[in-house]
PDB file of all heavy atoms in Angstrom:
ATOM      1  N   ALA X  25       1.968   4.602  -9.103  1.00  0.00           N
ATOM      2  CA  ALA X  25       1.357   3.414  -8.428  1.00  0.00           C
ATOM      3  C   ALA X  25       0.342   3.974  -7.376  1.00  0.00           C
ATOM      4  O   ALA X  25       0.351   5.008  -6.685  1.00  0.00           O
ATOM      5  CB  ALA X  25       2.613   2.713  -7.502  1.00  0.00           C
ATOM      6  N   ASP X  26      -0.835   3.098  -7.345  1.00  0.00           N
ATOM      7  CA  ASP X  26      -1.755   3.274  -6.358  1.00  0.00           C
ATOM      8  C   ASP X  26      -1.317   2.516  -5.060  1.00  0.00           C
ATOM      9  O   ASP X  26      -0.612   1.455  -5.221  1.00  0.00           O
ATOM     10  CB  ASP X  26      -3.145   2.954  -6.800  1.00  0.00           C
ATOM     11  CG  ASP X  26      -4.252   3.459  -6.023  1.00  0.00           C
ATOM     12  OD1 ASP X  26      -4.027   4.264  -5.090  1.00  0.00           O
ATOM     13  OD2 ASP X  26      -5.424   3.142  -6.294  1.00  0.00           O
ATOM     14  N   TYR X  27      -1.761   2.949  -3.884  1.00  0.00           N
ATOM     15  CA  TYR X  27      -1.533   2.103  -2.620  1.00  0.00           C
ATOM     16  C   TYR X  27      -2.713   2.402  -1.779  1.00  0.00           C
ATOM     17  O   TYR X  27      -3.421   3.508  -1.873  1.00  0.00           O
ATOM     18  CB  TYR X  27      -0.204   2.299  -2.105  1.00  0.00           C
ATOM     19  CG  TYR X  27      -0.073   3.816  -1.512  1.00  0.00           C
ATOM     20  CD1 TYR X  27      -0.351   4.226  -0.314  1.00  0.00           C
ATOM     21  CD2 TYR X  27       0.510   4.657  -2.459  1.00  0.00           C
ATOM     22  CE1 TYR X  27       0.023   5.483   0.127  1.00  0.00           C
ATOM     23  CE2 TYR X  27       0.929   5.970  -2.126  1.00  0.00           C
ATOM     24  CZ  TYR X  27       0.538   6.349  -0.811  1.00  0.00           C
ATOM     25  OH  TYR X  27       0.865   7.616  -0.306  1.00  0.00           O
ATOM     26  N   ARG X  28      -3.045   1.653  -0.833  1.00  0.00           N
ATOM     27  CA  ARG X  28      -4.135   1.805   0.173  1.00  0.00           C
ATOM     28  C   ARG X  28      -3.861   3.095   1.139  1.00  0.00           C
ATOM     29  O   ARG X  28      -2.775   3.293   1.433  1.00  0.00           O
ATOM     30  CB  ARG X  28      -4.450   0.612   0.974  1.00  0.00           C
ATOM     31  CG  ARG X  28      -4.979  -0.554   0.198  1.00  0.00           C
ATOM     32  CD  ARG X  28      -5.008  -1.852   1.000  1.00  0.00           C
ATOM     33  NE  ARG X  28      -3.660  -2.337   1.301  1.00  0.00           N
ATOM     34  CZ  ARG X  28      -3.274  -3.293   2.207  1.00  0.00           C
ATOM     35  NH1 ARG X  28      -4.230  -3.854   2.883  1.00  0.00           N
ATOM     36  NH2 ARG X  28      -2.134  -3.648   2.366  1.00  0.00           N
ATOM     37  N   VAL X  29      -4.835   3.871   1.494  1.00  0.00           N
ATOM     38  CA  VAL X  29      -4.683   4.930   2.358  1.00  0.00           C
ATOM     39  C   VAL X  29      -5.874   4.833   3.378  1.00  0.00           C
ATOM     40  O   VAL X  29      -6.823   4.258   3.258  1.00  0.00           O
ATOM     41  CB  VAL X  29      -4.691   6.324   1.612  1.00  0.00           C
ATOM     42  CG1 VAL X  29      -3.397   6.422   0.700  1.00  0.00           C
ATOM     43  CG2 VAL X  29      -5.963   6.488   0.752  1.00  0.00           C
ATOM     44  N   LYS X  30      -5.648   5.651   4.513  1.00  0.00           N
ATOM     45  CA  LYS X  30      -6.568   5.525   5.557  1.00  0.00           C
ATOM     46  C   LYS X  30      -7.895   6.048   5.149  1.00  0.00           C
ATOM     47  O   LYS X  30      -8.956   5.375   5.498  1.00  0.00           O
ATOM     48  CB  LYS X  30      -6.097   6.379   6.713  1.00  0.00           C
ATOM     49  CG  LYS X  30      -7.089   6.426   7.946  1.00  0.00           C
ATOM     50  CD  LYS X  30      -6.424   7.092   9.051  1.00  0.00           C
ATOM     51  CE  LYS X  30      -7.302   7.122  10.230  1.00  0.00           C
ATOM     52  NZ  LYS X  30      -7.803   5.772  10.667  1.00  0.00           N
ATOM     53  N   SER X  31      -8.170   7.238   4.423  1.00  0.00           N
ATOM     54  CA  SER X  31      -9.409   7.700   4.105  1.00  0.00           C
ATOM     55  C   SER X  31     -10.338   6.824   3.219  1.00  0.00           C
ATOM     56  O   SER X  31     -11.491   6.773   3.320  1.00  0.00           O
ATOM     57  CB  SER X  31      -9.281   9.135   3.373  1.00  0.00           C
ATOM     58  OG  SER X  31      -8.651   8.979   2.173  1.00  0.00           O
ATOM     59  N   ARG X  32      -9.621   6.005   2.358  1.00  0.00           N
ATOM     60  CA  ARG X  32     -10.335   5.198   1.288  1.00  0.00           C
ATOM     61  C   ARG X  32     -10.535   3.782   1.832  1.00  0.00           C
ATOM     62  O   ARG X  32     -11.372   3.087   1.485  1.00  0.00           O
ATOM     63  CB  ARG X  32      -9.716   5.324   0.101  1.00  0.00           C
ATOM     64  CG  ARG X  32      -9.818   6.593  -0.673  1.00  0.00           C
ATOM     65  CD  ARG X  32      -9.388   6.530  -2.035  1.00  0.00           C
ATOM     66  NE  ARG X  32      -7.922   6.357  -2.274  1.00  0.00           N
ATOM     67  CZ  ARG X  32      -7.142   7.426  -2.462  1.00  0.00           C
ATOM     68  NH1 ARG X  32      -7.632   8.606  -2.486  1.00  0.00           N
ATOM     69  NH2 ARG X  32      -5.793   7.260  -2.719  1.00  0.00           N
ATOM     70  N   ASN X  33      -9.343   3.314   2.651  1.00  0.00           N
ATOM     71  CA  ASN X  33      -9.276   1.879   2.851  1.00  0.00           C
ATOM     72  C   ASN X  33      -9.012   1.614   4.409  1.00  0.00           C
ATOM     73  O   ASN X  33      -8.980   0.460   4.697  1.00  0.00           O
ATOM     74  CB  ASN X  33      -7.983   1.297   2.220  1.00  0.00           C
ATOM     75  CG  ASN X  33      -8.016   1.752   0.678  1.00  0.00           C
ATOM     76  OD1 ASN X  33      -7.243   2.506   0.282  1.00  0.00           O
ATOM     77  ND2 ASN X  33      -8.883   1.095  -0.046  1.00  0.00           N
ATOM     78  N   ASN X  34      -9.145   2.672   5.179  1.00  0.00           N
ATOM     79  CA  ASN X  34      -8.961   2.457   6.576  1.00  0.00           C
ATOM     80  C   ASN X  34      -7.859   1.604   7.138  1.00  0.00           C
ATOM     81  O   ASN X  34      -7.942   0.729   7.878  1.00  0.00           O
ATOM     82  CB  ASN X  34     -10.295   1.829   7.221  1.00  0.00           C
ATOM     83  CG  ASN X  34     -10.406   2.150   8.690  1.00  0.00           C
ATOM     84  OD1 ASN X  34      -9.917   3.017   9.270  1.00  0.00           O
ATOM     85  ND2 ASN X  34     -11.073   1.200   9.381  1.00  0.00           N
ATOM     86  N   VAL X  35      -6.563   1.962   6.456  1.00  0.00           N
ATOM     87  CA  VAL X  35      -5.508   1.281   6.874  1.00  0.00           C
ATOM     88  C   VAL X  35      -4.463   2.162   7.732  1.00  0.00           C
ATOM     89  O   VAL X  35      -4.527   3.369   7.463  1.00  0.00           O
ATOM     90  CB  VAL X  35      -4.703   0.619   5.616  1.00  0.00           C
ATOM     91  CG1 VAL X  35      -5.537  -0.381   4.896  1.00  0.00           C
ATOM     92  CG2 VAL X  35      -4.383   1.792   4.594  1.00  0.00           C
ATOM     93  N   VAL X  36      -3.582   1.522   8.379  1.00  0.00           N
ATOM     94  CA  VAL X  36      -2.553   2.270   8.999  1.00  0.00           C
ATOM     95  C   VAL X  36      -1.281   2.321   8.090  1.00  0.00           C
ATOM     96  O   VAL X  36      -1.154   1.662   7.026  1.00  0.00           O
ATOM     97  CB  VAL X  36      -2.141   1.567  10.318  1.00  0.00           C
ATOM     98  CG1 VAL X  36      -3.112   1.751  11.338  1.00  0.00           C
ATOM     99  CG2 VAL X  36      -1.804  -0.019  10.078  1.00  0.00           C
ATOM    100  N   ALA X  37      -0.325   3.069   8.407  1.00  0.00           N
ATOM    101  CA  ALA X  37       0.792   3.431   7.410  1.00  0.00           C
ATOM    102  C   ALA X  37       1.582   2.144   6.986  1.00  0.00           C
ATOM    103  O   ALA X  37       2.155   2.062   5.961  1.00  0.00           O
ATOM    104  CB  ALA X  37       1.637   4.538   7.944  1.00  0.00           C
ATOM    105  N   LYS X  38       1.763   1.241   8.037  1.00  0.00           N
ATOM    106  CA  LYS X  38       2.559   0.084   7.706  1.00  0.00           C
ATOM    107  C   LYS X  38       1.886  -0.830   6.418  1.00  0.00           C
ATOM    108  O   LYS X  38       2.702  -1.312   5.808  1.00  0.00           O
ATOM    109  CB  LYS X  38       2.638  -0.797   8.926  1.00  0.00           C
ATOM    110  CG  LYS X  38       1.464  -1.616   9.397  1.00  0.00           C
ATOM    111  CD  LYS X  38       1.778  -2.521  10.468  1.00  0.00           C
ATOM    112  CE  LYS X  38       0.597  -3.459  10.949  1.00  0.00           C
ATOM    113  NZ  LYS X  38       0.883  -4.289  12.054  1.00  0.00           N
ATOM    114  N   LYS X  39       0.647  -0.701   6.275  1.00  0.00           N
ATOM    115  CA  LYS X  39      -0.010  -1.256   5.165  1.00  0.00           C
ATOM    116  C   LYS X  39       0.444  -0.488   3.818  1.00  0.00           C
ATOM    117  O   LYS X  39       0.619  -1.156   2.689  1.00  0.00           O
ATOM    118  CB  LYS X  39      -1.464  -1.365   5.209  1.00  0.00           C
ATOM    119  CG  LYS X  39      -1.984  -2.067   6.344  1.00  0.00           C
ATOM    120  CD  LYS X  39      -1.628  -3.599   6.383  1.00  0.00           C
ATOM    121  CE  LYS X  39      -2.159  -4.396   7.448  1.00  0.00           C
ATOM    122  NZ  LYS X  39      -1.877  -5.856   7.301  1.00  0.00           N
ATOM    123  N   CYS X  40       0.482   0.854   3.888  1.00  0.00           N
ATOM    124  CA  CYS X  40       1.044   1.543   2.718  1.00  0.00           C
ATOM    125  C   CYS X  40       2.449   1.192   2.448  1.00  0.00           C
ATOM    126  O   CYS X  40       2.766   1.048   1.132  1.00  0.00           O
ATOM    127  CB  CYS X  40       1.098   3.055   3.069  1.00  0.00           C
ATOM    128  SG  CYS X  40      -0.425   3.739   3.651  1.00  0.00           S
ATOM    129  N   VAL X  41       3.365   0.859   3.433  1.00  0.00           N
ATOM    130  CA  VAL X  41       4.606   0.430   3.158  1.00  0.00           C
ATOM    131  C   VAL X  41       4.602  -0.956   2.439  1.00  0.00           C
ATOM    132  O   VAL X  41       5.370  -1.230   1.505  1.00  0.00           O
ATOM    133  CB  VAL X  41       5.506   0.246   4.432  1.00  0.00           C
ATOM    134  CG1 VAL X  41       6.700  -0.409   4.112  1.00  0.00           C
ATOM    135  CG2 VAL X  41       5.697   1.716   5.106  1.00  0.00           C
ATOM    136  N   SER X  42       3.673  -1.830   2.946  1.00  0.00           N
ATOM    137  CA  SER X  42       3.650  -3.186   2.325  1.00  0.00           C
ATOM    138  C   SER X  42       3.294  -3.045   0.858  1.00  0.00           C
ATOM    139  O   SER X  42       3.682  -3.768   0.029  1.00  0.00           O
ATOM    140  CB  SER X  42       2.533  -3.961   3.068  1.00  0.00           C
ATOM    141  OG  SER X  42       3.045  -4.426   4.323  1.00  0.00           O
ATOM    142  N   ASP X  43       2.314  -2.270   0.516  1.00  0.00           N
ATOM    143  CA  ASP X  43       1.905  -1.940  -0.812  1.00  0.00           C
ATOM    144  C   ASP X  43       3.077  -1.499  -1.738  1.00  0.00           C
ATOM    145  O   ASP X  43       3.201  -1.886  -2.894  1.00  0.00           O
ATOM    146  CB  ASP X  43       0.677  -1.058  -0.951  1.00  0.00           C
ATOM    147  CG  ASP X  43      -0.596  -1.620  -0.350  1.00  0.00           C
ATOM    148  OD1 ASP X  43      -0.731  -2.775  -0.092  1.00  0.00           O
ATOM    149  OD2 ASP X  43      -1.534  -0.802  -0.056  1.00  0.00           O
ATOM    150  N   ALA X  44       3.832  -0.523  -1.085  1.00  0.00           N
ATOM    151  CA  ALA X  44       4.923   0.065  -1.954  1.00  0.00           C
ATOM    152  C   ALA X  44       5.909  -1.083  -2.230  1.00  0.00           C
ATOM    153  O   ALA X  44       6.481  -1.126  -3.337  1.00  0.00           O
ATOM    154  CB  ALA X  44       5.582   1.161  -1.238  1.00  0.00           C
ATOM    155  N   LYS X  45       6.277  -1.904  -1.261  1.00  0.00           N
ATOM    156  CA  LYS X  45       7.184  -2.884  -1.378  1.00  0.00           C
ATOM    157  C   LYS X  45       6.630  -3.969  -2.443  1.00  0.00           C
ATOM    158  O   LYS X  45       7.324  -4.427  -3.219  1.00  0.00           O
ATOM    159  CB  LYS X  45       7.413  -3.693  -0.108  1.00  0.00           C
ATOM    160  CG  LYS X  45       8.237  -2.717   0.893  1.00  0.00           C
ATOM    161  CD  LYS X  45       8.584  -3.400   2.149  1.00  0.00           C
ATOM    162  CE  LYS X  45       9.862  -4.274   1.911  1.00  0.00           C
ATOM    163  NZ  LYS X  45      10.434  -4.783   3.254  1.00  0.00           N
ATOM    164  N   SER X  46       5.297  -4.282  -2.362  1.00  0.00           N
ATOM    165  CA  SER X  46       4.676  -5.113  -3.412  1.00  0.00           C
ATOM    166  C   SER X  46       4.814  -4.670  -4.820  1.00  0.00           C
ATOM    167  O   SER X  46       5.095  -5.271  -5.757  1.00  0.00           O
ATOM    168  CB  SER X  46       3.191  -5.315  -3.180  1.00  0.00           C
ATOM    169  OG  SER X  46       3.041  -6.018  -1.802  1.00  0.00           O
ATOM    170  N   ALA X  47       4.661  -3.173  -4.935  1.00  0.00           N
ATOM    171  CA  ALA X  47       4.758  -2.598  -6.339  1.00  0.00           C
ATOM    172  C   ALA X  47       6.125  -2.821  -6.870  1.00  0.00           C
ATOM    173  O   ALA X  47       6.313  -3.187  -7.993  1.00  0.00           O
ATOM    174  CB  ALA X  47       4.317  -1.137  -6.197  1.00  0.00           C
ATOM    175  N   VAL X  48       7.203  -2.486  -6.107  1.00  0.00           N
ATOM    176  CA  VAL X  48       8.635  -2.636  -6.559  1.00  0.00           C
ATOM    177  C   VAL X  48       8.884  -4.052  -6.950  1.00  0.00           C
ATOM    178  O   VAL X  48       9.416  -4.439  -7.995  1.00  0.00           O
ATOM    179  CB  VAL X  48       9.573  -2.079  -5.432  1.00  0.00           C
ATOM    180  CG1 VAL X  48      10.988  -2.429  -5.950  1.00  0.00           C
ATOM    181  CG2 VAL X  48       9.423  -0.717  -5.212  1.00  0.00           C
ATOM    182  N   ARG X  49       8.531  -4.954  -5.991  1.00  0.00           N
ATOM    183  CA  ARG X  49       8.633  -6.499  -6.239  1.00  0.00           C
ATOM    184  C   ARG X  49       7.911  -6.910  -7.520  1.00  0.00           C
ATOM    185  O   ARG X  49       8.418  -7.754  -8.397  1.00  0.00           O
ATOM    186  CB  ARG X  49       8.150  -7.208  -5.070  1.00  0.00           C
ATOM    187  CG  ARG X  49       8.179  -8.711  -5.143  1.00  0.00           C
ATOM    188  CD  ARG X  49       8.069  -9.585  -3.903  1.00  0.00           C
ATOM    189  NE  ARG X  49       9.035  -9.417  -2.969  1.00  0.00           N
ATOM    190  CZ  ARG X  49       8.950  -8.871  -1.660  1.00  0.00           C
ATOM    191  NH1 ARG X  49       7.724  -8.422  -1.468  1.00  0.00           N
ATOM    192  NH2 ARG X  49      10.037  -8.778  -0.962  1.00  0.00           N
ATOM    193  N   TRP X  50       6.651  -6.457  -7.742  1.00  0.00           N
ATOM    194  CA  TRP X  50       5.944  -6.831  -8.948  1.00  0.00           C
ATOM    195  C   TRP X  50       6.564  -6.314 -10.218  1.00  0.00           C
ATOM    196  O   TRP X  50       6.642  -7.188 -11.103  1.00  0.00           O
ATOM    197  CB  TRP X  50       4.498  -6.354  -8.844  1.00  0.00           C
ATOM    198  CG  TRP X  50       3.640  -6.850 -10.002  1.00  0.00           C
ATOM    199  CD1 TRP X  50       2.673  -7.844  -9.836  1.00  0.00           C
ATOM    200  CD2 TRP X  50       3.438  -6.246 -11.263  1.00  0.00           C
ATOM    201  NE1 TRP X  50       2.103  -8.151 -10.903  1.00  0.00           N
ATOM    202  CE2 TRP X  50       2.426  -7.243 -11.831  1.00  0.00           C
ATOM    203  CE3 TRP X  50       4.078  -5.302 -11.996  1.00  0.00           C
ATOM    204  CZ2 TRP X  50       2.143  -7.062 -13.249  1.00  0.00           C
ATOM    205  CZ3 TRP X  50       3.667  -5.251 -13.446  1.00  0.00           C
ATOM    206  CH2 TRP X  50       2.658  -6.026 -14.000  1.00  0.00           C
ATOM    207  N   ILE X  51       7.166  -5.152 -10.205  1.00  0.00           N
ATOM    208  CA  ILE X  51       7.822  -4.643 -11.324  1.00  0.00           C
ATOM    209  C   ILE X  51       9.004  -5.496 -11.737  1.00  0.00           C
ATOM    210  O   ILE X  51       9.242  -5.826 -12.770  1.00  0.00           O
ATOM    211  CB  ILE X  51       8.205  -3.077 -11.264  1.00  0.00           C
ATOM    212  CG1 ILE X  51       6.869  -2.289 -11.015  1.00  0.00           C
ATOM    213  CG2 ILE X  51       9.069  -2.646 -12.178  1.00  0.00           C
ATOM    214  CD1 ILE X  51       7.092  -0.838 -10.514  1.00  0.00           C
TER     215      ILE X  51
END
């Protein structure tokens, strides 16, 4: 899975968590 990170998307870690949860939910 891809997810947003700070260097590419300027996000904080809680956004990474949201993406990971979205990935599991989507599957």
Side-chain angles (χ1 to χ4, degrees):
D26 199 5
Y27 61 89
R28 291 170 292 170
V29 295
K30 182 175 176 59
S31 65
R32 293 190 286 267
N33 311 106
N34 195 31
V35 294
V36 290
K38 71 177 183 180
K39 298 297 184 181
C40 307
V41 173
S42 294
D43 292 345
K45 297 185 79 170
S46 295
V48 175
R49 177 172 286 120
W50 190 94
I51 294 165

